Amino acid sequence: MSIKIIIADDHQIVRQGLRTLLEKEPDLEVVAEAEDGRKTVSLVEEMHPQVVIMDVNMPELNGIEATRQILTRHPGVKVIALSMHTDRRFVLNMMRAGASGYLLKDCAFEELSQAIRLVLANKTYLSPGVAEIIIQDYVRGIPQQASSAFSVLTRREREVLQLMAEGKSTSQIAEAIHVSVKTVETHRQQIMNKLGIRSIAELTKYAIREGLTSLEI
Amino acid sequence: MSIKIIIADDHQIVRQGLRTLLEKEPDLEVVAEAEDGRKTVSLVEEMHPQVVIMDVNMPELNGIEATRQILTRHPGVKVIALSMHTDRRFVLNMMRAGASGYLLKDCAFEELSQAIRLVLANKTYLSPGVAEIIIQDYVRGIPQQASSAFSVLTRREREVLQLMAEGKSTSQIAEAIHVSVKTVETHRQQIMNKLGIRSIAELTKYAIREGLTSLEI
DNA sequence: ATAAAAATCAGGCTTCTCCTGGTTGTCTCC
DNA sequence: GGAGACAACCAGGAGAAGCCTGATTTTTAT
């Protein structure tokens, strides 16, 4: 039986390219594609893949949060992060979220293929550049508790923060996560209280620094 | 004879994916790949392709500058921009540099394939989202010159934008620059209209990119 | 089992936003 | 030197969004 894979990336042409590459390997099967984190989570529920290739930066729900949610419910699924950045924050948070591998988009396809085999054998695969970062941090004795959004804010709060930082209005957020406007308002207040921030502009900057959103509009 | 294509993108796996997709079409041939703008320019000299698929954001020499250089020497080459962003500045500058098409990475491969045929017939292809932007700017009468904050916005507007991006409320801004709240509101609307932006979060990101504010809170 | 934390929502008041409109001063261009 | 364009300023008013308080249910942790 072939290995079932879901591809999550916000760019369709990248997904198509990856799919074509993956399907050249006879034992790999791409069973679904997702363009954002939320979609990825629900597709995992539905399709039960063994592996998820996950872009780190996605709209709606980022790859880190999506990974966390997927692994809470399906601890057996192997998530391989595929990212443009070697930003230590992304790497750290992604691995904390339970990813089995972290590859840079600037890698050869052969590396991805190899990574899939490795994670299925319960090993961890890191791109060379990424491994370096982790080792550097380790030898430098950098305190491994980035006391950030990921420790202060709850899951839901991070979700709401991301959507806010993407420019969504309260009602749009309410619609996106299927709760009432009032709930979103409460979350926002809670976030602002916890962070001691009082404006959307500063929240946005915070979210950018924490990697919850990017500078792109 | 097949159509000779060069792929320029700084991520190897994206290049490989594109190549695989393109080579499924019997009349297309990828003769080279480049990981930055400088390499792309020299590869065009060497390989004489008909088409260059060009990522906009690349290290060393960005896609815009590379396009300009290629077309100065080889006006017949068709450059198709492939970008993650719908940022109007990129679109505008890329088209000014002489690109024959502008596609979003979030497009289907079929779109790229179609775009290649079109540009070879001396037509221009724009992704729907991109075309919208240009039309929006046009109907709004936005001055069609490199729309950076320093040419589009007035001095007062930049001032207000900066204060907004620093987290100030409308009334705080009014107080700071000694005008009425109503005036600040008008400025804000004017800014949003000019930039085609509809939320404080996105305004903040814009201001950061333009250097009007920093990421620090 | 029990307490704490997270997630959900509502009422009612305040504030902000959005749209349309207007005035004044300055500049350029012919 | 007058017309037109633009910048900077301001207002009214409807509707949307925000803020504060308080409350219930679900989940998690001990």
Side-chain angles (χ1 to χ4, degrees):
Chain A
M1 203 184 101
S2 61
I3 300 166
K4 291 197 287 184
I5 299 174
I6 287 184
I7 299 172
D9 191 294
D10 51 339
H11 297 119
Q12 190 185 346
I13 207 161
V14 175
R15 291 197 302 274
Q16 281 183 292
L18 278 174
R19 177 190 277 267
T20 311
L21 285 168
L22 288 167
E23 291 186 339
K24 286 203 295 187
E25 311 265 320
D27 59 334
L28 304 183
E29 185 193 357
V30 178
V31 294
E33 297 176 15
E35 70 274 13
D36 63 52
R38 207 174 304 289
K39 191 92 177 286
T40 311
V41 174
S42 66
L43 277 173
V44 169
E45 298 287 330
E46 192 183 327
M47 309 297 296
H48 300 288
Q50 284 111 299
V51 177
V52 179
I53 315 274
M54 179 89 76
D55 188 19
V56 178
N57 307 103
M58 286 189 293
E60 287 290 328
L61 188 71
N62 64 57
I64 294 167
E65 204 54 50
T67 300
R68 210 187 306 275
Q69 294 189 15
I70 288 168
L71 293 178
T72 306
R73 302 221 200 163
H74 307 276
V77 174
K78 302 297 177 184
V79 176
I80 298 176
L82 194 60
S83 167
M84 300 194 304
H85 321 271
T86 54
D87 189 310
R88 43 179 33 77
R89 231 189 311 246
F90 289 135
V91 176
L92 188 65
N93 287 323
M94 200 68 194
M95 299 316 284
R96 284 241 176 88
S100 300
Y102 197 108
L103 278 99
L104 298 179
K105 277 193 181 166
D106 184 26
C107 74
F109 169 68
E110 290 67 34
E111 228 185 299
L112 176 57
S113 172
Q114 193 194 342
I116 292 172
R117 324 292 170 175
L118 277 173
V119 300
L120 283 173
N122 288 318
K123 301 202 187 307
T124 302
Y125 184 86
L126 299 177
S127 273
V130 176
E132 260 172 47
I133 284 175
I134 290 183
I135 290 164
Q136 269 180 23
D137 278 8
Y138 185 76
V139 298
R140 278 188 194 142
I142 288 175
Q144 258 76 50
Q145 19 104 11
S147 84
S148 64
F150 296 93
S151 54
V152 187
L153 302 181
T154 68
R155 196 165 56 78
R156 205 52 152 174
E157 286 162 357
R158 287 193 299 272
E159 239 181 294
V160 171
L161 174 54
Q162 181 183 349
L163 292 164
M164 278 196 284
E166 284 172 2
K168 302 267 197 305
S169 73
T170 306
S171 63
Q172 285 175 318
I173 295 170
E175 205 174 333
I177 64 175
H178 304 110
V179 297
S180 89
V181 169
K182 286 296 183 180
T183 304
V184 176
E185 285 181 3
T186 308
H187 284 313
R188 193 200 30 242
Q189 282 172 231
Q190 195 61 20
I191 293 166
M192 288 183 162
N193 283 340
K194 282 184 177 177
L195 302 180
I197 287 178
R198 234 158 317 285
S199 67
I200 302 288
E202 290 172 314
L203 274 185
T204 305
K205 293 180 184 183
Y206 179 87
I208 292 168
R209 288 209 313 269
E210 293 298 335
L212 286 172
T213 185
S214 76
L215 257 184
E216 323 302 330
I217 298 190
Chain B
M1 203 187 98
S2 62
I3 299 167
K4 290 195 288 183
I5 299 174
I6 287 183
I7 298 173
D9 191 295
D10 51 340
H11 297 120
Q12 190 185 346
I13 206 161
V14 174
R15 290 198 301 274
Q16 280 183 292
L18 279 174
R19 176 191 279 267
T20 311
L21 286 169
L22 288 167
E23 292 186 337
K24 286 203 293 189
E25 312 264 321
D27 59 334
L28 304 182
E29 185 194 356
V30 178
V31 293
E33 296 176 17
E35 71 274 13
D36 64 52
R38 211 172 302 286
K39 191 93 177 283
T40 312
V41 175
S42 65
L43 278 172
V44 170
E45 298 288 331
E46 192 183 325
M47 311 295 299
H48 300 287
Q50 282 110 301
V51 178
V52 179
I53 315 273
M54 179 91 75
D55 188 20
V56 177
N57 307 104
M58 286 188 295
E60 286 289 325
L61 189 71
N62 64 55
I64 295 167
E65 203 50 49
T67 301
R68 212 185 309 273
Q69 293 188 16
I70 288 168
L71 293 178
T72 306
R73 302 219 203 164
H74 307 276
V77 175
K78 301 298 177 184
V79 176
I80 297 176
L82 193 61
S83 168
M84 301 193 303
H85 326 270
T86 55
D87 189 308
R88 46 185 24 82
R89 278 174 313 168
F90 290 136
V91 176
L92 189 64
N93 287 324
M94 202 65 194
M95 298 315 284
R96 283 246 174 84
S100 300
Y102 198 108
L103 278 99
L104 299 179
K105 278 192 181 168
D106 184 25
C107 74
F109 169 67
E110 291 67 34
E111 228 185 298
L112 176 57
S113 171
Q114 194 195 341
I116 292 172
R117 323 289 171 179
L118 277 172
V119 300
L120 284 172
N122 288 318
K123 299 200 188 307
T124 302
Y125 183 87
L126 299 177
S127 274
V130 175
E132 260 172 45
I133 285 175
I134 290 181
I135 290 164
Q136 269 181 24
D137 278 8
Y138 185 76
V139 299
R140 282 192 188 136
I142 289 176
Q144 260 77 47
Q145 354 140 354
S147 70
S148 129
F150 294 92
S151 55
V152 189
L153 302 182
T154 67
R155 205 155 44 81
R156 203 53 151 175
E157 285 162 357
R158 286 197 299 272
E159 226 178 310
V160 171
L161 173 54
Q162 182 179 345
L163 292 165
M164 280 195 283
E166 283 170 2
K168 304 271 196 305
S169 72
T170 306
S171 62
Q172 284 175 319
I173 295 171
E175 204 174 334
I177 63 175
H178 306 107
V179 296
S180 90
V181 169
K182 284 297 184 181
T183 304
V184 177
E185 284 181 6
T186 308
H187 284 313
R188 179 168 29 77
Q189 279 172 233
Q190 196 60 19
I191 293 165
M192 288 183 161
N193 282 341
K194 283 184 176 178
L195 302 180
I197 286 177
R198 223 128 293 285
S199 69
I200 302 289
E202 289 173 315
L203 272 185
T204 305
K205 293 179 183 183
Y206 179 88
I208 293 168
R209 289 209 313 270
E210 292 295 336
L212 286 173
T213 185
S214 78
L215 257 183
E216 320 307 326
I217 296 188

